[in-house]
Amino acid sequence: MFPMPLPRPRAFSGIQPTADSLHLGNYLGALKQWVELQEDYDCVYSVVDLHALTVGPSPAELRQRVRATAAQFLAAGVDPARSVLFIQSEVSEHAQLTWLLNCLTGFGEAGRMTQFKDKSSRLGEKAVTVGLFDYPVLMAADILLYDAQVVPVGEDQRQHLELSRTLAARLNSRFGPGTAVVPEPVIVKATAKIFDLQDPGAKMSKTGHPSGIIELLDDPKTIAKRIKTAVTDSGSEITWDPSVKPGVANLLTIYSALTDQPVEAIVQRYQGKLYGHLKVDLAEVVVESLRPFRERTALYLDDPGQLDQILDQGAERARGIAATVYGRIAGCFGLGRAGQ
Ligand code: AMP
Ligand code: TRP
């Protein structure tokens, strides 16, 4: 007799469908870890379309981006045979658990989220919605609904993750241990924050400098141009010094992460060479790393039937887990006639 395999710990993460293409920060900061975690974790990954509503996309744009984002998860290596891949709004318990958590979240506590403060000050008071304010609570609901032990994200999500942990701990102290699993962030230090190529003091972001970002679906010419015109620092020597040479450090980080070579080995190889040499080679590395990704994404998008089947199956598996966990937590609040 074979021993029963032990259940694997659960990982959960999500990315918003707010652009036609993900960018290199999303890939190196999050998606790459998602793929690797599949070896040891029971993974649940979501296209978080409810979160994307906070930026007010048109319905056609949102529909298109949901599909494009799911196709990119698959192209990056999310394996639907091993992991659950689903669209957040297709599992209604996300919105339901958010309400329960809303009733446990302090108004001031939510108001302290730095992403909310940044986004709302950019938008101005009139344009800020309750949805934007509630965004981190919906994210906590996403995570707690799957009893996730780990959550792979980039550095910018650390504070949101901390709120998820606080809310899980609050459920446990109010209703007893075992009500919720307290999740741990998985933030890989080397690639936790990829910087804007035009402004190496800011994170690479969809809302940043248009030529400061590399989109995963960019054509090779655009990619090469973006890297060749990346802002580098004064001096000409290639050294690893993020505080003095943040632009060069960012390029070295990207090089290292895409080739799985230590930064020191790359610096060693470029001794006596100029920034231009590094840029030419890095452009080649990025283009060649992304070429198969772009091709695979196109294959998934060209076969809507297959993509729908994967997403249908994912939603069904996600609902199975979410319904059980939601029932457990809602019962603790006194909802449901059958509880005690
Ligand atoms: P979003 O596009 O905001 O839904 O982000 C999706 C994932 O990408 C999250 O885990 C972020 O933390 C991560 N991420 C976004 N931008 C960067 C960046 N510049 N560097 C590293 N990770 C990032
Ligand atoms: N807020 C995350 C971001 O902007 C996306 C997200 C939503 C998420 N729900 C999540 C990430 C749950 C991890 C786990 O990047």
Side-chain angles (χ1 to χ4, degrees):
M1 284 279 278
F2 293 109
M4 283 284 282
L6 285 172
R8 302 196 305 169
R10 168 96 28 84
F12 181 94
S13 196
I15 293 183
Q16 301 182 75
T18 43
D20 294 328
S21 174
L22 299 176
H23 59 72
L24 207 50
N26 299 138
Y27 178 66
L28 296 178
L31 201 46
K32 188 164 183 266
Q33 282 64 255
W34 292 18
V35 173
E36 289 164 4
L37 284 173
Q38 295 179 117
E39 298 302 322
D40 301 308
Y41 288 81
D42 175 19
C43 297
V44 181
Y45 297 131
S46 184
V47 178
V48 288
D49 55 348
L50 297 175
H51 279 99
L53 293 180
T54 59
V55 299
S58 77
E61 209 169 49
L62 182 62
R63 270 192 202 104
Q64 145 73 20
R65 289 175 174 175
V66 163
R67 297 191 86 85
T69 304
Q72 289 172 82
F73 290 179
L74 293 163
V78 169
D79 173 3
R82 285 189 288 170
S83 303
V84 175
L85 166 57
F86 76 105
I87 298 169
Q88 183 189 34
S89 64
E90 294 180 5
V91 180
S92 52
E93 284 83 358
H94 289 253
Q96 290 177 275
L97 183 59
T98 301
W99 183 256
L100 304 189
L101 296 180
N102 278 338
C103 297
L104 285 186
T105 307
F107 190 80
E109 197 171 33
R112 279 193 292 279
M113 295 292 114
T114 56
Q115 269 201 354
F116 172 71
K117 288 197 271 187
D118 291 348
K119 286 185 190 171
S120 54
S121 72
R122 246 183 283 136
L123 283 168
E125 202 185 320
K126 285 214 178 87
V128 177
T129 62
V130 176
L132 188 66
F133 186 66
D134 208 25
Y135 178 112
V137 183
L138 175 59
M139 174 164 164
D142 294 344
I143 297 167
L144 302 193
L145 211 38
Y146 296 89
D147 283 339
Q149 274 109 327
V150 300
V151 181
V153 282
E155 181 62 38
D156 61 353
Q157 297 303 311
R158 189 183 287 281
Q159 194 190 29
H160 289 162
L161 236 296
E162 204 44 56
L163 179 68
S164 303
R165 289 170 54 81
T166 302
L167 292 176
R170 197 166 291 161
L171 284 169
N172 291 336
S173 75
R174 185 142 323 175
F175 302 120
T179 307
V181 171
V182 181
E184 294 286 339
V186 174
I187 300 176
V188 173
K189 197 160 165 263
T191 51
K193 191 168 177 182
I194 300 297
F195 295 92
D196 185 301
L197 297 175
Q198 290 300 315
D199 175 9
K203 74 165 182 183
M204 184 179 285
S205 138
K206 307 175 244 236
T207 53
H209 210 287
S211 51
I213 110 171
I214 291 181
E215 297 199 325
L216 303 182
L217 299 177
D218 271 344
D219 60 88
K221 256 200 186 137
T222 308
I223 295 174
K225 191 161 153 223
R226 296 262 163 95
I227 290 175
K228 285 175 193 161
T229 55
V231 167
T232 31
D233 315 286
S234 57
S236 60
E237 219 188 320
I238 295 163
T239 53
W240 173 256
D241 195 344
S243 56
V244 179
K245 295 189 173 200
V248 175
N250 193 35
L251 298 182
L252 288 169
T253 298
I254 296 171
Y255 200 133
S256 162
L258 288 178
T259 59
D260 284 321
Q261 297 172 47
V263 165
E264 306 82 70
I266 301 166
V267 169
Q268 188 74 34
R269 242 192 0 264
Y270 283 91
Q271 262 190 6
K273 295 195 177 159
L274 304 172
Y275 293 159
H277 294 119
L278 175 66
K279 286 180 172 178
V280 169
D281 293 351
L282 178 59
E284 175 87 8
V285 164
V286 178
V287 165
E288 290 316 315
S289 314
L290 294 184
R291 191 187 301 282
F293 173 84
R294 213 175 57 233
E295 289 166 2
R296 282 197 295 269
T297 302
L299 288 179
Y300 283 109
L301 288 175
D302 286 345
D303 188 349
Q306 187 199 14
L307 190 56
D308 280 327
Q309 200 189 4
I310 292 170
L311 292 170
D312 286 348
Q313 211 175 60
E316 202 176 308
R317 290 166 68 193
R319 276 186 214 116
I321 306 167
T324 307
V325 176
Y326 178 76
R328 186 180 78 216
I329 298 177
C332 291
F333 278 82
L335 298 173
R337 269 175 291 142
Q340 36 185 295

